[in-house]
Amino acid sequence: MNIRLKGRWWYLAIFLVAIALPHIVTSRYVGQIIIMGYLFSIATLSLNLILGYAGQASLAHAGFFGIGAYGVGLLTKGGVSFWIALPLSASLAAAIGFLVGLPTLRTRGSYFAISTLCLGVIISIVAGNWVQLTGGYTGVVGIPTPTPIRVPWTVEIRFDSLLAQYYLVLAFLILTMFAMHRIVHSLTGISFMAVRNNEMLAEAAGIDTFRVKLTAFVIADFFAGLAGGLYASIMGSISPSTASMELTFNWLVYLLIGGAATLGGPIIGAFVIPIIMESLQFLAQYRMLIFGVLLIVVIIYFPRGAMGAILQLGEKWRREWRKRQEEGPRVAASQRP
Amino acid sequence: MELFLQQIFNGIMLGSTYAIVAVGLTLVFGILHIPNFAHGHLYMFGAYIAFFLMTIAGLGFWTSLLASVAVMGAVGVILERLAYRPLRERPHIDSFISAIGALMILETSVIVIWGPQGRRIPNPYPGIIEVLGVTMSYQRLIVIVAAVSMILLLNLFIKRTTLGATIEAVAQNREGAMLVGIDVNKVSAITFAISAGTAAAAACLVAPIFIISPTMGALLGMKAFVIVILGGLGSIPGAIVGGYILGLLEAMGGGYLSAAYKDVYAFGALIVILSLKPTGLFGKEVA
């Protein structure tokens, strides 16, 4: 069995577990945590594209998530179908990302991080103060669940049960993963990494670095908006905290601890960390303290996070194993009297 | 006219604290090139230490201020050693992420120890005087005088002492400084101590005027970055002028325009200016 196929088996196994999961876990509470895990996985995957692959720390990510959430929330409340509101809102997030990216992506490194941070704060201030549109700090409540899909001649797929919502979010997560996989393994994805590794060199090699960064930023914002739109429809209510800095920082922690610039890392992070935090309820008060320490330790000692560490270990074992196989007969031969 | 003068006075007071905080950040960000995003949180932590010393330990205002400066100086040194020094050879963005970790630690520590609600430090000088119809409380005057003298002292320290010259040497050329025998690690540690200490001093000075809260550091830190970038990276006069301009802008905006959106103007201005000049108004080097 070659390594490629082995990897695919893994994917299949995880996929089957994800399909079967709601039938194994019947607790509504756990179900909701898992749905949130999927939603934040989508958000973290999109942050990974701009931060992990293109190397630009966009700290307005929750802002774009918020734009998607407010878009879907307000449109579906106004009677627009969810299936039209969702792509519209995600595109709105991408369009705003494009407009903001034009000026901010001219800056580099920590300058870009600071200007996007300012943008994130502006978005949450506007969400809190533009009362006529956003409802101010009380937010938008009573957002309808996703519009049912009517399949001709058969049944209607409705999304008002937790089970249906689970599969809906899972479908979008798989869609996002597929999209990310395709992007990262395309020429565009390779140019993202070239820009991350050395912008000057990439420029010298003929890559239009500004366009590459803008592409990564717009795609990342589209998926952040998508995650936000799903979130609004499933949670039923949103407030300016949906676009808060704390959310961006949470995803940053998930991403870095899970493993930046890997495809599995963001999902591991977005799943494992909230579940650990949820099971250690008595530590709730110290949550951000622990995150802070973890963030510093991980960035210093494991820049590629848990996924990176796993890959490294796997590599090491494979090498050891190969070495032992090669050395095996020789050792046996030399030990012969 | 009276409202105008009153807002000018308030703006100068606000600007004085911004100027000190921005000068501290300039030393670290502009000179050592460490994007210490936790700078505002050092300020916040300093205010809480003074709060603790004054209300629980019952020390006087000035004693608490000095003690807070000393404690935060030590915190600055520890921060540099643990969170930034290991990342010196790595891309800036790694230090920035490390800084986000540090600010989470500082903010959560304060919430765990003192709770999330706002606190008030007793005002040591409650009197007021009136000049030209402008109400000036003693505490606000003290803030202005103390801030200006601190800025002058800091400037003298950098320009006239050997230690100050060493810091400038490292800023100009790290390798060159190492070649002539300057211990770069020591200079980094001292710079961090000064930066955190001045932030704590600024925080203690204004603490009796405003309510202190664990979240006040985040916004101030961002404003300090805005000032430092606009004022030209590494330029101390730029940081001072920038601090006063932002203070006046905010006082005027808060007095005449919408107070809810006052932060939007400052941050919006940053995005616009950075888009025109990606290295800041007076910046010369690309980070």
Side-chain angles (χ1 to χ4, degrees):
Chain A
M1 196 193 298
N2 64 26
I3 289 164
R4 236 188 136 88
L5 200 63
K6 223 189 228 164
R8 299 245 163 107
W9 276 108
W10 263 106
Y11 286 136
L12 191 66
I14 292 172
F15 178 69
L16 287 177
V17 168
I19 291 285
L21 202 59
H23 302 286
I24 303 163
V25 182
T26 46
S27 150
R28 205 178 160 73
Y29 167 71
V30 177
Q32 241 151 12
I33 292 176
I34 294 172
I35 290 182
M36 285 306 285
Y38 285 167
L39 281 170
F40 285 168
S41 292
I42 299 176
T44 313
L45 272 168
S46 61
L47 182 64
N48 187 29
L49 192 69
I50 182 75
L51 182 92
Y53 285 103
Q56 311 296 317
S58 167
L59 297 178
H61 217 65
F64 293 106
F65 183 84
I67 291 172
Y70 272 97
V72 166
L74 295 170
L75 283 174
T76 54
K77 263 193 97 172
V80 178
S81 161
F82 172 79
W83 300 102
I84 295 168
L86 187 68
L88 262 183
S89 308
S91 307
L92 177 70
I96 294 178
F98 177 77
L99 290 178
V100 172
L102 281 178
T104 53
L105 280 166
R106 285 164 50 90
T107 60
R108 288 184 184 158
S110 24
Y111 286 73
F112 177 71
I114 290 159
S115 34
T116 48
L117 196 69
C118 287
L119 174 72
V121 172
I122 291 176
I123 292 175
S124 65
I125 290 177
V126 170
N129 287 294
W130 194 354
V131 182
Q132 298 93 315
L133 183 73
T134 64
Y137 285 98
T138 40
V140 183
V141 290
I143 300 165
T145 49
T147 324
I149 306 174
R150 195 162 290 123
V151 185
W153 300 299
T154 53
V155 282
E156 206 183 46
I157 306 172
R158 300 174 60 84
F159 295 103
D160 38 16
S161 72
L162 197 67
L163 190 69
Q165 290 175 358
Y166 173 89
Y167 285 120
L168 177 73
V169 177
L170 179 63
F172 272 103
L173 175 62
I174 291 170
L175 188 78
T176 311
M177 284 169 70
F178 180 69
M180 292 296 162
H181 186 267
R182 289 308 295 264
I183 294 167
V184 166
H185 290 94
S186 70
L187 197 60
T188 318
I190 293 167
S191 54
F192 289 173
M193 288 175 253
V195 169
R196 174 194 67 195
N197 292 345
N198 192 331
E199 204 173 324
M200 302 281 180
L201 202 62
E203 189 116 45
I207 295 174
D208 183 349
T209 56
F210 180 72
R211 182 190 286 253
V212 165
K213 288 194 286 183
L214 194 62
T215 311
F217 191 53
V218 169
I219 296 173
D221 297 341
F222 179 86
F223 282 100
L226 187 81
L230 280 169
Y231 175 91
S233 202
I234 282 168
M235 289 293 123
S237 68
I238 47 174
S239 71
S241 66
T242 311
S244 73
M245 227 60 264
E246 202 184 328
L247 219 48
T248 308
F249 286 173
N250 278 346
W251 299 334
L252 197 66
V253 172
Y254 300 163
L255 174 60
L256 287 162
I257 293 177
T262 61
L263 281 173
I267 301 169
I268 294 179
F271 252 92
V272 174
I273 297 169
I275 287 171
I276 292 174
M277 291 322 292
E278 208 65 40
S279 55
L280 301 175
Q281 274 295 342
F282 63 97
L283 283 177
Q285 216 189 353
Y286 301 96
R287 182 191 160 93
M288 292 313 255
L289 191 74
I290 300 166
F291 277 10
V293 174
L294 275 178
L295 207 52
I296 295 179
V297 170
V298 165
I299 194 73
I300 294 175
Y301 297 105
F302 312 99
R304 289 183 65 208
M307 198 65 192
I310 292 170
L311 290 177
Q312 238 167 26
L313 268 181
E315 189 71 16
K316 203 177 153 192
W317 279 337
R318 209 169 303 143
R319 229 181 302 132
E320 288 270 299
W321 187 69
R322 212 174 294 148
K323 210 164 85 185
R324 206 166 298 160
Q325 266 205 332
E326 279 170 13
E327 275 180 1
R330 254 187 291 145
V331 172
S334 67
Q335 273 171 353
R336 213 172 288 153
Chain B
M1 193 61 198
E2 259 141 49
L3 174 69
F4 179 73
L5 287 177
Q6 184 71 53
Q7 293 305 339
I8 292 262
F9 174 73
N10 288 341
I12 290 175
M13 197 279 300
L14 214 54
S16 303
T17 55
Y18 288 165
I20 307 180
V21 176
V23 167
L25 185 63
T26 295
L27 289 177
V28 164
F29 184 45
I31 296 183
L32 292 183
H33 299 290
I34 296 173
N36 180 20
F37 195 63
H39 193 67
H41 289 75
L42 292 172
Y43 167 95
M44 182 269 302
F45 209 88
Y48 269 91
I49 287 175
F51 164 78
F52 170 76
L53 292 174
M54 280 181 78
T55 54
I56 317 263
L59 295 179
F61 177 71
W62 295 104
T63 332
S64 307
L65 187 146
L66 288 178
S68 169
V69 169
V71 171
M72 290 320 291
V75 171
V77 172
I78 296 169
L79 186 66
E80 191 270 340
R81 184 72 194 83
L82 296 184
Y84 298 124
R85 196 178 293 178
L87 295 169
R88 191 181 284 158
E89 305 303 328
R90 301 253 290 270
H92 274 135
I93 201 66
D94 287 8
S95 306
F96 197 84
I97 288 163
S98 195
I100 291 174
L103 72 85
M104 286 175 174
I105 295 172
L106 288 169
E107 190 168 322
T108 318
S109 313
V110 167
I111 293 175
V112 168
I113 302 171
W114 289 290
Q117 73 277 25
R119 300 279 191 165
R120 190 173 275 287
I121 286 184
N123 194 334
Y125 303 99
I128 50 166
I129 51 168
E130 274 208 14
V131 181
L132 293 167
V134 177
T135 319
M136 303 179 176
S137 71
Y138 286 141
Q139 186 62 34
R140 284 176 190 243
L141 286 172
I142 287 173
V143 171
I144 297 175
V145 174
V148 170
S149 34
M150 247 168 74
I151 291 168
L152 288 176
L153 277 177
L154 207 59
N155 225 4
L156 277 180
F157 166 75
I158 302 255
K159 295 289 172 206
R160 294 267 182 272
T161 64
T162 320
L163 196 55
T166 334
I167 294 176
E168 261 201 318
V170 174
Q172 282 169 5
N173 191 330
R174 184 185 287 274
E175 281 77 29
M178 280 160 102
L179 273 179
V180 296
I182 292 173
D183 184 349
V184 174
N185 285 339
K186 210 167 109 192
V187 171
S188 290
I190 291 168
T191 313
F192 253 90
I194 295 171
S195 168
T198 48
C204 296
L205 285 170
V206 287
I209 301 172
F210 302 118
I211 288 173
I212 60 172
S213 73
T215 49
M216 72 180 185
L219 213 56
L220 191 92
M222 285 178 63
K223 284 179 189 165
F225 266 98
V226 171
I227 296 166
V228 167
I229 291 175
L230 295 188
L233 204 59
S235 152
I236 291 177
I240 296 167
V241 173
Y244 280 102
I245 290 177
L246 189 69
L248 286 168
L249 264 181
E250 258 181 34
M252 290 296 158
Y256 291 100
L257 296 166
S258 153
Y261 283 105
K262 72 173 202 276
D263 297 323
V264 172
Y265 303 138
F267 298 145
L270 176 86
I271 294 179
V272 171
I273 290 173
L274 278 183
S275 67
L276 300 173
K277 274 211 75 186
T279 50
L281 273 186
F282 308 104
K284 31 197 186 303
E285 192 195 344
V286 180

